[in-house]
Amino acid sequence: MVTIVRVVGERGKEIGSILWRCVYSFSLTLLCSAGLAFIPQGPESLRLVSHPGWTFPVFIFSVAAWSTAAWYSARLTLGRVFDGTSLLDRTDTPFVNRIRMWLPRFLGIVPASVLSIQFQRMGQPVLALACFGVAFAMGVFVVKRRAWFASRFRGFDGETASIRFESLQQRTVLTVTVAIVLTFVLLLAVWIWPVEVTRLVSAPALLCFAFASWILFGDLVLTYYFKQARLPSMAALPLLLFVAFSLWNDNHRVRLLPASAGEPPPVRRAIDDHLDAWLQTRVDSGALLPGRPFPLFVVAAEGGGIRAAYWAGMVLAKLQDDSGARFGRHLFALSGVSGGSLGGSAFAALVADAGSAGLARAPCARGARDGAYQACMRNVLQRDFLSPTLGYALYPDMLQRFLPFAIPAADRARAMEAAWAQGWESATGNDRFARRFDQLWAGDPAMNVPSLLLNATLVDGGNRIIASDLVIDGRFPDAYDALDPVLDLRRMSLSTAVHNSARFSYISPAGTVSACREGKALVACAPGRERRPWGRVIDGAYFENSGVESVRDLLFAMRPRLAQWRERGYDIDTAVIVISNSPDAIAPSGKQDPANARMDTTFLSELLAPPLGLFNTRTARATFAVTAGLRDMAVILPAGPERFLWFGMHSANDTPLGWALASETYQGIDALLQPPHEGKLPFRSVLARLPP
């Protein structure tokens, strides 16, 4: 027994020494392959490479690069005999040498093999065959290469194959140098042209190229070259730098537009005054008459990445098209979270374009078959917003994490905002998403543009922070006004305001907000005032994912003024529209049925139960807010017809959260807006309320 324990212990030490020597190629290859296979966003991102064009050839090349880097780095680091006392350098047993030989070969075929299986599971046999071809070619190459190329490896006793060497060949040094230089070329290209580059190099290809470059740099630079210089391995150095330099390298300050002379003051409207003006405009136009019901809608758009943005945007666009643009004139405000903020803001911007006659001239509206709003919404949102952000995260912003100073231009948040702004401009021909947030309500048509309440969460405190053209006052309990004069956010663009509501870690970073100070006191921001960090904003879903809480606060704030209008004989028919994008969404209900509960895995429950519970409250809190909102409608609003309209995305497909969807997924969502699915949603109830 003692002998067995001793042998197992010795083998364990040998295996540990081997894995630490090639820790980057081993860990990144296995963990990242598992991530692409098992994380829900993995399969959806892989569907991006099936689009026509060069995306799949580039992806196959990136997989080959990752496979080659994994094999090559492990082979060189395990084969080199360094001077020193390392167990691996002193051990020359058949057991160790078999691992030296077969572990690099195994790592070389893992990426393409896993992707081949994943594509087959996704119903993409052609792509699966291509990946299998890469795995097969890689396997043949690593086995037959010694017969094809001269080698300077020397053998060990009892083996004819040679795997140990004492110096690198010149061509090996050249190969590694060229690979690392190409990595920095890709870094600069993504940094300078994030949207343009990622149209060709999609998110999966960027991931594979990044894995390849990290493996080469980690194993061959931080391990191989340091040990060659008779220094300890620096494999753990990136982790140490990441932790130590985090005190000084925060480059995620919320981006602001440059100040310009003569720029207009910010548009801010008190809720009571704006409601009076909004209703008076309808009176002046003859749409609001005493004694005749006048519908007033308030919308809550749930979060959920691009899935939420597309579903909310398309529901609103369909209501607008089917009503002949009458729906928008009855929409007072939109409360959005995360992707719901993007969809709601895109709709409000289209309404603003229509008011200035810009929508009729927009490229996206030409030849629209089912309505200009739906056509433009598709054109704006059916884009890959993940790849530019991921490219920044994997290259410029990743480099930033290991520097002791901040480079604002490397902030990956800028890539997301630039992608939204460029997508909007490409579709509509104007730069509305790149303009100052409050300018969405500037000009004569502003009274027809619905107000926006874009909900974010403050990291330090967990409170809501709401960006809106409306003044967020004490009637929004425990919430901050993002456009408060003391906060330096009034020059943020529309795309930045949306992104503050959609900063779901870790794709988007927490945004640092500054406040203006004189000494220790906060003062209204003005040129020349001192600005210091005040707090960090993240996705609004951390507080509440449905957006209904802010709708409920708004309705309570509107209630006294609406009562005054009713006393004057005006019948304001207020209703709430909730747009939920959860694929298995059901209308809110009361008491939960125990039969609907589920017991998650108990694996590592001591560690996983707290974070899983916190994450799952994201959905549960939204369901509670919607259900409570439904209950409160009877208190906030007068008796009347149905005042709570639920647009749930009933779908058999579990569309994952993320910022990119495949064409097939968009088509599946579009199908839910057509018969027979359309009849399950309250489109007719909304349209029936609208006066002719």
Side-chain angles (χ1 to χ4, degrees):
M1 185 66 182
V2 174
T3 302
I4 294 175
V5 172
R6 183 183 300 114
V7 171
V8 170
E10 291 174 354
R11 293 292 181 266
K13 289 191 293 184
E14 291 170 347
I15 293 173
S17 179
I18 289 171
L19 296 183
W20 178 245
R21 178 68 61 86
C22 61
V23 62
Y24 280 84
S25 52
F26 176 78
S27 60
L28 287 175
T29 298
L30 296 189
L31 292 177
C32 296
S33 296
L36 288 173
F38 298 114
I39 294 177
Q41 288 79 4
E44 188 66 25
S45 66
L46 290 175
R47 289 190 178 94
L48 298 176
V49 304
S50 63
H51 296 171
W54 285 95
T55 53
F56 187 69
V58 171
F59 173 69
I60 282 294
F61 179 75
S62 71
V63 173
W66 177 14
S67 300
T68 302
W71 162 74
Y72 200 55
S73 297
R75 170 178 170 265
L76 293 181
T77 54
L78 294 180
R80 173 67 188 267
V81 179
F82 296 100
D83 295 333
T85 60
S86 170
L87 175 64
L88 184 59
D89 298 319
R90 293 184 288 105
T91 304
D92 197 15
T93 65
F95 172 77
V96 169
N97 284 311
R98 288 190 185 93
I99 298 180
R100 288 178 187 268
M101 176 181 291
W102 289 105
L103 180 59
R105 295 178 178 183
F106 170 73
L107 296 176
I109 65 172
V110 163
S113 300
V114 170
L115 290 169
S116 177
I117 296 171
Q118 185 65 293
F119 278 123
Q120 186 64 37
R121 292 172 56 193
M122 292 164 49
Q124 300 277 2
V126 175
L127 306 187
L129 183 61
C131 289
F132 174 79
V134 172
F136 181 78
M138 192 71 196
V140 172
F141 173 77
V142 298
V143 172
K144 295 292 186 180
R145 73 189 187 284
R146 292 195 182 106
W148 297 344
F149 304 102
S151 175
R152 292 176 57 187
F153 283 60
R154 67 176 176 82
F156 57 90
D157 294 341
E159 294 282 347
T160 58
S162 55
I163 61 169
R164 292 168 68 85
F165 65 98
E166 296 177 350
S167 64
L168 286 182
Q169 299 180 36
Q170 185 176 1
R171 67 189 183 193
T172 301
V173 176
L174 179 62
T175 300
V176 174
T177 302
V178 169
I180 293 176
V181 168
L182 290 177
T183 296
F184 280 93
V185 170
L186 182 57
L187 183 153
L188 291 174
V190 170
W191 199 337
I192 299 171
W193 307 288
V195 178
E196 293 79 4
V197 169
T198 53
R199 287 173 185 159
L200 178 64
V201 188
S202 59
L206 285 168
L207 283 169
C208 294
F209 282 131
F211 300 157
S213 60
W214 296 346
I215 287 170
L216 288 172
F217 186 81
D219 279 349
L220 298 185
V221 176
L222 298 180
T223 298
Y224 188 97
Y225 284 107
F226 273 87
K227 290 189 72 65
Q228 179 176 265
R230 298 185 179 182
L231 295 171
S233 169
M234 292 289 109
L237 180 63
L239 178 61
L240 297 176
L241 296 179
F242 180 89
V243 174
F245 291 162
S246 63
L247 293 170
W248 307 288
N249 64 5
D250 177 15
N251 65 325
H252 301 311
R253 288 204 176 193
V254 174
R255 186 177 68 91
L256 303 177
L257 298 175
S260 60
E263 63 181 2
V267 175
R268 300 308 312 278
R269 308 185 285 202
I271 294 173
D272 293 340
D273 294 342
H274 176 56
L275 180 58
D276 282 338
W278 190 86
L279 291 172
Q280 187 61 49
T281 301
R282 275 70 185 162
V283 171
D284 296 341
S285 67
L288 175 56
L289 298 173
R292 191 174 78 178
F294 180 84
L296 182 153
F297 295 107
V298 181
V299 170
E302 187 181 68
I306 192 61
R307 180 186 75 197
Y310 191 71
W311 178 246
M314 289 302 294
V315 167
L316 294 169
K318 180 175 174 58
L319 287 169
Q320 185 77 336
D321 285 328
D322 290 354
S323 66
R326 291 176 295 145
F327 170 72
R329 294 195 289 270
H330 295 266
L331 178 57
F332 180 73
L334 280 156
S335 171
V337 177
S338 189
S341 293
L342 176 58
S345 297
F347 177 75
L350 288 175
V351 172
D353 276 5
S356 60
L359 183 60
R361 301 189 301 267
C364 58
R366 296 169 190 162
R369 290 178 294 180
D370 53 359
Y373 282 86
Q374 291 176 80
C376 287
M377 194 65 72
R378 288 192 189 98
N379 207 310
V380 170
L381 297 181
Q382 281 194 11
R383 297 172 185 267
D384 176 7
F385 298 122
L386 173 64
S387 296
T389 310
L390 190 63
Y392 250 60
L394 294 173
Y395 290 95
D397 214 355
M398 180 63 71
L399 179 63
Q400 167 71 94
R401 307 278 63 85
F402 310 116
L403 299 177
F405 51 85
I407 305 176
D411 182 6
R412 62 188 183 274
R414 300 192 177 200
M416 178 75 82
E417 294 163 16
W420 289 342
Q422 290 189 30
W424 174 268
E425 185 170 2
S426 174
T428 65
N430 65 66
D431 63 347
R432 193 175 293 278
F433 257 67
R435 298 177 200 165
R436 217 173 68 189
F437 168 67
D438 64 282
Q439 293 305 295
L440 186 61
W441 297 275
D444 294 336
M447 204 56 68
N448 288 322
V449 179
S451 293
L452 293 176
L453 294 93
L454 307 183
N455 298 273
T457 304
L458 195 66
V459 172
D460 307 288
N463 315 82
R464 282 176 298 170
I465 178 169
I466 305 171
S468 178
D469 57 299
L470 302 175
V471 176
I472 305 300
D473 53 27
R475 290 173 288 185
F476 291 78
D478 209 28
Y480 292 98
D481 186 348
L483 273 69
D484 190 290
V486 304
L487 300 182
D488 195 19
L489 287 177
R490 291 193 166 192
R491 286 185 289 110
M492 64 180 171
S493 67
L494 175 57
S495 64
T496 300
V498 172
H499 191 213
N500 286 345
S501 174
R503 291 176 178 267
F504 194 81
S505 302
Y506 292 91
I507 294 297
S508 294
T512 302
V513 178
S514 295
C516 294
R517 298 177 182 271
E518 282 187 358
K520 295 183 178 180
L522 294 179
V523 294
C525 287
R529 288 267 165 83
E530 180 187 10
R531 287 160 169 79
R532 296 181 192 170
W534 170 80
R536 292 169 295 164
V537 292
I538 53 176
D539 196 293
Y542 285 99
F543 182 88
E544 190 269 303
N545 192 45
S546 72
V548 170
E549 288 287 3
S550 293
V551 163
R552 186 163 48 173
D553 293 340
L554 178 62
L555 290 175
F556 269 113
M558 294 166 57
R559 187 182 178 194
R561 196 54 56 100
L562 288 175
Q564 294 177 13
W565 278 82
R566 292 190 184 97
E567 291 174 359
R568 295 166 52 188
Y570 292 100
D571 183 7
I572 311 299
D573 177 20
T574 309
V576 174
I577 294 174
V578 177
I579 305 176
S580 172
N581 67 93
S582 301
D584 57 349
I586 58 174
S589 59
K591 181 182 177 181
Q592 287 283 357
D593 184 352
N596 295 330
R598 71 181 190 275
M599 176 69 177
D600 290 327
T601 178
T602 57
F603 176 70
L604 292 179
S605 61
E606 292 288 336
L607 296 176
L608 299 181
L612 285 175
L614 289 172
F615 179 79
N616 288 331
T617 57
R618 173 182 178 272
T619 301
R621 187 71 180 82
T623 302
F624 165 77
V626 174
T627 307
L630 175 60
R631 176 199 63 198
D632 293 346
M633 293 303 107
V635 176
I636 302 174
L637 304 176
E642 182 182 15
R643 302 203 179 276
F644 188 92
L645 301 160
W646 173 266
F647 285 84
M649 194 175 84
H650 301 265
S651 174
N653 298 321
D654 187 11
T655 307
L657 298 177
W659 288 110
L661 296 175
S663 300
E664 300 84 352
T665 306
Y666 285 120
Q667 293 168 8
I669 295 176
D670 285 341
L672 299 177
L673 299 174
Q674 306 298 325
H677 305 285
E678 175 193 12
K680 301 176 182 178
L681 300 170
F683 284 105
R684 294 176 186 172
S685 298
V686 174
L687 297 177
R689 274 182 154 92
L690 301 175

